[in-house]
Amino acid sequence: MVMEEKRPTKRIVSIDALRGFDMFWISSGESLFIALFAFFGTPFFVKLAEQFDHPAWAGFRFYDIIFPLFLFIMGVVMPVSVTRRLEKGDSRKQLYLHIIRRTLLLFLLGLIYNGLFNFDFVNQRYTGVLQRFAFCYLVASLIIMNFRLKGQMIWAACITMGYWLFLLLVPAPGFNAYNLTPEGNIAGYIDRMFLPGSFCCYTYGDNEGILTMMPAVVNVLLGALAGNWLLGALSEKDKMRKLAISGGLLIAGAMIWSLVLPVNKYLWTGSYTLLTGGISFLLLLVFFWIIDVKGWKKWAFPFIVIGLNPITIYVAQGIFDFGIIANIFIHGFKNSFGSFEPVLTQLSVVTVKWLFLYFLYRQKIFLKV
């Protein structure tokens, strides 16, 4: 059981704020900025808008950090959440049951998000963002519960290197080993062989497919490492130093590794894991320094509101069109804004979603899964 250090009682607000910052982009924030950059229309802003979409295959853009950052933040709070449940008197058996229930609920929400109630099981997508959350939560929780910090990092290294060796040595039928093309990679082949239903977001496999589940677990374990430091008894200076050094080393390692293993979100390559892990460490450092060390918190309140109900807004926007509500308030005058109308529309959608979350916040309603 992981109980590396005495936990402080003070809440680390930056964790909620960073989670909300991350979810803001998923909650139509990217659409708002794409519309804004299109309104400006200069080559610089058109190029900047590309950062809010994934590359066609290999490469890295700003939007590629969003998913692994959420996994990282999930890991940050895991060690203390396990400890707190034990302190409340829960047994290990109760903890295991809690983990299983949460895993199944996340997976079910993912299926619902993907259209389960259409009852089109042939074309149903069985993997997805929430399904990956569920798998990573399950595996990382079991590792965190049964290994101390050193053991967790050994698991992270073994998963990362083991996945690379699998890509390096095991060929898809009809292709050479270490083929990292969309049609020739072994991860896509495994999806085609064993994963029913439809795929996203490339033709030959699924963006959240079977084999690529395992390296995503490493982002959660890296978050757990950061959480042990951030939520432990270290001084603020030591916490920031460890976050900064870890982030820098991971990014440097990713840049070197990318020379032989390209950064690729679709395959969740080791270089992608290291790069996104390093950026996550540095983002957590920045938010921690600004909010919890310097005490500048008021600006982060909109993000905190989002960060306290992230799964709620993700699922809600998947099954309900918030644009319908937004249009009620702006349909009478939005056309008079000319080329600025798309920006106004997206801003209205973002505002309605935030007000929905603010209502839940005021009512102290939080979806705990």
Side-chain angles (χ1 to χ4, degrees):
M1 177 57 57
V2 177
M3 294 181 67
E4 299 295 331
E5 300 172 280
K6 183 180 178 181
R7 306 292 178 189
T9 57
K10 181 182 177 183
R11 186 177 183 89
I12 306 296
V13 181
S14 54
I15 297 174
D16 295 327
L18 181 57
R19 188 189 298 113
F21 169 81
D22 192 51
M23 286 303 301
F24 166 77
W25 301 107
I26 302 174
S27 306
S28 300
E30 90 292 354
S31 299
L32 172 60
F33 276 82
I34 289 172
L36 185 62
F37 294 152
F39 170 74
F40 291 134
T42 64
F44 170 77
F45 284 106
V46 171
K47 196 70 176 177
L48 200 58
E50 294 179 2
Q51 292 299 314
F52 294 95
D53 193 9
H54 302 296
W57 188 241
F60 187 82
R61 294 175 181 170
F62 168 77
Y63 210 57
D64 292 325
I65 187 60
I66 302 303
F67 193 178
L69 177 59
F70 194 93
L71 292 172
F72 179 88
I73 299 169
M74 178 195 293
V76 170
V77 299
M78 271 189 180
V80 71
S81 65
V82 169
T83 303
R84 283 175 179 167
R85 292 190 72 90
L86 289 175
E87 290 173 349
K88 289 179 180 179
D90 287 358
S91 65
R92 290 177 66 85
K93 179 180 178 181
Q94 288 173 310
L95 262 176
Y96 284 129
L97 290 175
H98 169 76
I99 290 169
I100 293 171
R101 284 195 300 266
R102 189 180 187 192
T103 298
L104 293 175
L105 179 56
L106 280 169
F107 196 89
L108 177 61
L109 287 173
L111 292 177
I112 293 172
Y113 182 91
N114 287 350
L116 178 65
F117 293 141
N118 293 331
F119 300 109
D120 183 4
F121 301 117
V122 174
N123 296 305
Q124 167 80 29
R125 185 181 177 218
Y126 290 94
T127 61
V129 170
L130 292 178
Q131 292 91 322
R132 178 155 292 187
F133 285 167
F135 178 84
C136 292
Y137 170 76
L138 173 64
V139 176
S141 294
L142 295 177
I143 292 173
I144 290 169
M145 278 192 64
N146 292 285
F147 294 89
R148 302 186 73 85
L149 199 55
K150 182 178 179 181
Q152 295 168 28
M153 292 304 100
I154 292 174
W155 267 104
C158 289
I159 292 171
T160 303
M161 297 306 296
Y163 176 56
W164 180 46
L165 290 174
F166 193 88
L167 293 176
L168 185 67
L169 300 175
V170 181
F175 296 90
N176 295 325
Y178 211 45
N179 187 312
L180 303 180
T181 63
E183 63 274 10
N185 72 86
I186 183 62
Y189 173 76
I190 290 175
D191 289 343
R192 296 194 299 273
M193 290 297 101
F194 301 105
L195 187 60
S198 62
F199 294 160
C200 178
C201 296
Y202 74 106
T203 304
Y204 301 96
D206 195 281
N207 188 43
E208 281 90 34
I210 297 172
L211 189 61
T212 57
M213 289 285 188
M214 284 307 299
V217 173
V218 177
N219 289 87
V220 184
L221 295 176
L222 290 174
L225 174 63
N228 270 286
W229 295 334
L230 196 64
L231 300 169
L234 295 172
S235 67
E236 291 177 342
K237 182 178 179 180
D238 284 339
K239 290 175 182 179
M240 292 190 294
R241 178 177 58 84
K242 286 178 176 289
L243 293 175
I245 292 174
S246 299
L249 289 176
L250 286 170
I251 292 174
M255 294 297 97
I256 295 171
W257 203 0
S258 68
L259 299 176
V260 294
L261 180 64
V263 174
N264 189 312
K265 178 185 183 296
Y266 298 91
L267 296 179
W268 213 284
T269 54
S271 54
Y272 175 76
T273 302
L274 265 58
L275 179 59
T276 54
I279 295 173
S280 297
F281 270 103
L282 296 184
L283 284 172
L284 182 58
L285 167 65
V286 170
F287 273 67
F288 176 69
W289 178 73
I290 293 174
I291 296 173
D292 293 297
V293 177
K294 303 301 290 185
W296 300 330
K297 300 179 181 180
K298 291 183 178 179
W299 69 273
F301 178 72
F303 292 137
I304 293 171
V305 170
I306 302 172
L308 290 172
N309 254 319
I311 302 299
T312 301
I313 190 58
Y314 184 81
V315 175
Q317 69 183 7
I319 60 179
F320 180 76
D321 184 2
F322 283 87
I324 295 174
I325 298 177
N327 193 57
I328 293 173
F329 297 99
I330 66 172
H331 74 277
F333 60 85
K334 66 178 182 179
N335 291 335
S336 63
F337 278 75
S339 60
F340 193 74
E341 184 272 330
V343 181
L344 176 65
T345 298
Q346 292 302 325
L347 178 61
S348 301
V349 172
V350 170
T351 302
V352 168
K353 289 181 179 180
W354 189 86
L355 289 173
F356 165 66
L357 292 176
Y358 181 66
F359 170 79
L360 298 179
Y361 171 83
R362 290 297 300 268
Q363 300 300 316
K364 294 181 169 54
I365 300 173
F366 307 107
L367 177 61
K368 301 291 185 182
V369 294

